[in-house]
Amino acid sequence: MDIVSFSKAAKVEREVKQARDSYPSLDGRLDAVSVGNVVSVRLKTELPTVGEAGRLYLVRQDSSNQNESTTYTYSSGEYVKVGGDRVSNHPENGTINLNGTKTVIYNHPVTHSADMLTDGSHNVIMTLDEREKLSNIEREANHYTHPDTHSADMISDGETHVSMTWGERKRLNVIDPWESISDLVDYTDVVTYFAFDMQGRVIRQVVTDNYTEQLVREPVLTLPASPKGYAQDDSFLVISIGEIYRYDGLDFVQLPTLVDVIYQYDEGRLVAKSITRVGTTPVQTNFQYIYDSYGNRIAVKKY
């Protein structure tokens, strides 16, 4: 080593020793080191491609060290971290090597107050209030086991599935799985008239042929006394007698009945149904429906 290089190295060692003895913090020590021997850059990418041996390089915002200030030296063709490391637990952190001599410029205390900590990107500090709140929470307090059974009242409608009310269940139970239309398989070109009660349930169903023009109107309880208000071809079901009439422009004319079905209900449930197939010899088929105590249909008697 020539006399000039030796003098520079000795000067840096003296400045580092003085800074170490006079300043308690790493930042203070680094600021005290001669500016002529410290190169300061904001980002690590701004470091010279080739550094100088014996010179300190301070990166003020080091992305590899949580954007904290970090000190480097240049050795063997690369920059070597020598101080300010918050990522590594290397035992020689805070030590720099000048001309083969290790010099401690910062010793991290064994313990220190948590008040100097700040929230990081992934981990955060805890306040005393938060610790107390956490200590009062029972272990597995947020653990939840869904019960085997529960009331359907807590179920809400989804996009593809919906819940059912008691009223809907009762109404569903009165829907006959053996629809009367199944008794019309021998017929073609027919028109079926329906009558409903106040709950929207079918109470009568009458079938006529389709060979006559019919403009279907709402059913009536009894045959009107006059055709006033009716237009030609208007037709309707007379609920009380199960007959279909059509106004031909002069008077009401009865249309032929092919099938007549009567439904009977009790407490909201279908309890009986009779189907009369009208022909040369009318044939009537009766059904009686039997329910359990929960309102579920458990049997059908046909006679």
Side-chain angles (χ1 to χ4, degrees):
M1 178 184 296
D2 57 43
I3 188 63
V4 175
S5 299
F6 179 81
S7 298
K8 288 184 177 180
K11 181 175 182 292
V12 170
E13 288 187 19
R14 289 195 303 273
E15 291 172 344
V16 169
K17 183 177 184 303
Q18 182 181 1
R20 183 185 63 217
D21 297 338
S22 303
Y23 297 90
S25 68
L26 174 61
D27 290 340
R29 292 172 184 178
L30 291 176
D31 290 340
V33 176
S34 174
V35 176
N37 291 297
V38 178
V39 175
S40 176
V41 296
R42 188 174 69 88
L43 302 176
K44 189 175 181 180
T45 55
E46 298 174 356
L47 289 172
T49 304
V50 178
E52 297 180 25
R55 173 165 289 186
L56 295 177
Y57 295 89
L58 175 63
V59 179
R60 298 191 301 276
Q61 187 175 341
D62 190 355
S63 60
S64 65
N65 189 24
Q66 299 182 357
N67 289 326
E68 294 293 328
S69 297
T70 311
T71 307
Y72 290 87
T73 59
Y74 188 80
S75 176
S76 302
E78 63 179 353
Y79 288 97
V80 180
K81 190 181 299 182
V82 295
D85 192 352
R86 296 183 60 186
V87 178
S88 171
N89 290 322
H90 196 280
E92 296 185 353
N93 287 344
T95 301
I96 63 175
N97 191 317
L98 295 176
N99 300 322
T101 302
K102 293 181 180 180
T103 304
V104 177
I105 62 174
Y106 174 71
N107 278 324
H108 193 76
V110 178
T111 61
H112 61 70
S113 171
D115 292 338
M116 67 176 62
L117 300 179
T118 60
D119 290 345
S121 301
H122 303 288
N123 298 296
V124 298
I125 60 174
M126 177 186 294
T127 65
L128 289 174
D129 290 339
E130 290 171 333
R131 170 175 284 180
E132 182 179 0
K133 182 177 181 181
L134 183 63
S135 65
N136 292 327
I137 299 176
E138 297 180 2
R139 185 179 296 274
E140 296 188 350
N142 61 342
H143 182 69
Y144 173 73
T145 301
H146 196 74
D148 294 332
T149 61
H150 61 70
S151 170
D153 292 338
M154 67 176 63
I155 305 299
S156 59
D157 291 347
E159 295 182 1
T160 57
H161 297 77
V162 297
S163 58
M164 177 185 292
T165 64
W166 276 108
E168 290 171 331
R169 168 175 281 183
K170 290 180 179 179
R171 184 170 181 180
L172 182 63
N173 285 334
V174 303
I175 298 177
D176 186 6
W178 300 347
E179 293 291 348
S180 298
I181 197 69
S182 63
D183 296 294
L184 309 178
V185 293
D186 296 333
Y187 297 89
T188 58
D189 297 325
V190 298
V191 180
T192 303
Y193 289 72
F194 294 93
F196 300 87
D197 62 10
M198 297 300 294
Q199 285 73 43
R201 301 171 299 191
V202 179
I203 57 176
R204 196 149 197 169
Q205 179 181 1
V206 180
V207 180
T208 185
D209 61 46
N210 193 35
Y211 303 142
T212 305
E213 181 69 24
Q214 302 168 52
L215 302 177
V216 181
R217 294 184 54 163
E218 292 185 4
V220 296
L221 185 60
T222 58
L223 185 66
S226 72
K228 183 179 180 180
Y230 288 87
Q232 185 168 342
D233 296 329
D234 283 351
S235 56
F236 51 87
L237 167 64
V238 180
I239 302 174
S240 58
I241 56 179
E243 296 177 350
I244 300 173
Y245 286 86
R246 166 181 167 273
Y247 181 57
D248 63 0
L250 297 176
D251 202 355
F252 293 120
V253 179
Q254 183 180 354
L255 298 180
T257 297
L258 303 180
V259 179
D260 183 13
V261 185
I262 298 176
Y263 299 84
Q264 297 179 18
Y265 301 89
D266 181 33
E267 296 183 355
R269 299 180 296 190
L270 177 66
V271 295
K273 178 180 69 176
S274 65
I275 301 176
T276 302
R277 301 176 68 170
V278 181
T280 305
T281 302
V283 178
Q284 185 178 72
T285 305
N286 299 305
F287 298 89
Q288 180 182 355
Y289 301 96
I290 303 171
Y291 299 83
D292 63 13
S293 59
Y294 296 101
N296 301 309
R297 184 182 298 172
I298 58 176
V300 179
K301 182 188 296 185
K302 180 179 179 181
Y303 57 95

